[in-house]
Amino acid sequence: MQSPLFSHTEQQSQDRYTVQNPQLLRVSLTGQDDLLARKGAMVAYQGLIDFDGEYRSNSQRRARASTGEGLDLMRCSGQGTVYLANLAQYVHLVDVDREGMTVDSAYVLALDSSLHTEVIAVDSQYGISGTGKYQLNISGRGKVALMTSGQPLMLEVTPEKYVNADSDAIVAWSSSLRVQMQAQTHSSNVRRRRGNTGEGWELSFLGQGFALVQPSEVMPPQDAQVGQGIAAQFGVGQQGARGQNQNNAWN
């Protein structure tokens, strides 16, 4: 049998994480450090690998119930190779250090089990219930695999140059940045999109760091959930500024 398909062979690497192709992640497990991956994201594996549901603490369950933000993870352990993907989205590796990273959980494909995650709130400038946004703060040292719809844009934020991004297009940013959610509109129309422009809530970033934006405000398909094979609510439409239930405060 012959086909150009046979050119898409396995990438050989000694690294733990390898981007097999722009939309597929290869992770090597040695039996020492487990991998946390989004539930349902495994597309293939080799070797002796066990997949178990990851335990969520009471505080994590409360945060998920009250904010809609959080990670549904599985623990991958053993020796072998795991291939992860989701809806052919682009995969990007990020080294997390002491600075930390804040991300919408809908864009997390996998992360080292040594990293710590915590739900945080981003307040709106108007202080109106339902106009804030919840995100996931990732801290510690390790790697995170992020997903984007299309090739993203990395914007540098400096004290001299702040960045504004659509709240439904932002993927991640440096945790050290000062962030405020706002809408460039009159306060009497704060709950509406900006007139007939189609633009609405945005995040303003100040300080020193980065902001990662994808070229899509709603990840397709709009009615599928990350890591799930059945139709469900998905992505920023569920967890972002447009569709999120934010009437309950998270402490």
Side-chain angles (χ1 to χ4, degrees):
M1 186 168 61
Q2 295 181 346
S3 170
L5 287 172
F6 288 99
S7 65
H8 300 286
T9 56
E10 179 183 7
Q11 295 281 357
Q12 299 299 321
S13 173
Q14 299 299 317
D15 296 334
R16 175 175 169 87
Y17 293 90
T18 304
V19 178
Q20 170 72 26
N21 63 52
Q23 295 149 308
L24 185 65
L25 178 67
R26 175 184 186 267
V27 186
S28 297
L29 298 179
T30 62
Q32 297 180 358
D33 298 322
D34 294 347
L35 171 74
L36 297 180
R38 183 171 292 276
K39 286 184 178 179
M42 183 274 291
V43 296
Y45 72 92
Q46 298 172 318
L48 300 176
I49 307 294
D50 291 326
F51 301 92
D52 294 310
E54 175 65 3
Y55 170 78
R56 286 192 295 180
S57 66
N58 290 334
S59 62
Q60 289 173 324
R61 287 194 292 268
R62 288 195 301 269
R64 184 59 177 270
S66 60
T67 68
E69 188 70 33
L71 284 171
D72 290 324
L73 297 171
M74 61 181 177
R75 181 174 288 267
C76 310
S77 59
Q79 292 183 315
T81 305
V82 181
Y83 294 90
L84 304 171
N86 183 79
L87 295 174
Q89 290 182 282
Y90 286 83
V91 178
H92 315 275
L93 293 174
V94 179
D95 284 303
V96 179
D97 54 21
R98 291 178 300 175
E99 182 182 14
M101 179 177 65
T102 304
V103 63
D104 190 313
S105 62
Y107 301 111
V108 178
L109 179 63
L111 69 159
D112 285 331
S113 58
S114 59
L115 292 171
H116 175 71
T117 62
E118 180 184 14
V119 175
I120 62 171
V122 177
D123 295 328
S124 78
Q125 65 178 356
Y126 298 101
I128 299 175
S129 177
T131 60
K133 184 177 175 70
Y134 291 99
Q135 299 283 254
L136 199 68
N137 193 64
I138 301 177
S139 58
R141 288 186 177 271
K143 285 187 181 292
V144 177
L146 300 179
M147 306 175 293
T148 63
S149 292
Q151 294 285 10
L153 172 66
M154 181 70 79
L155 295 169
E156 183 181 7
V157 183
T158 69
E160 295 77 28
K161 183 178 65 176
Y162 64 88
V163 170
N164 291 328
D166 190 291
S167 61
D168 290 313
I170 189 73
V171 174
W173 64 83
S174 303
S175 296
S176 59
L177 292 175
R178 301 191 305 278
V179 187
Q180 187 175 59
M181 198 167 185
Q182 61 186 10
Q184 297 298 333
T185 184
H186 298 298
S187 59
S188 60
N189 298 323
V190 67
R191 292 187 180 275
R192 298 190 306 167
R193 305 292 282 177
R194 297 183 202 163
N196 60 359
T197 68
E199 300 297 337
W201 289 103
E202 63 187 35
L203 295 182
S204 181
F205 301 95
L206 301 94
Q208 187 77 45
F210 70 86
L212 183 65
V213 178
Q214 68 174 1
S216 174
E217 294 187 17
V218 178
M219 296 183 290
Q222 297 183 31
D223 294 327
Q225 187 171 11
V226 176
Q228 299 292 332
I230 59 175
Q233 297 244 333
F234 172 63
V236 182
Q238 173 195 4
Q239 297 180 350
R242 292 180 186 170
Q244 187 171 312
N245 178 6
Q246 300 155 327
N247 292 324
N248 294 321
W250 165 244
N251 296 317

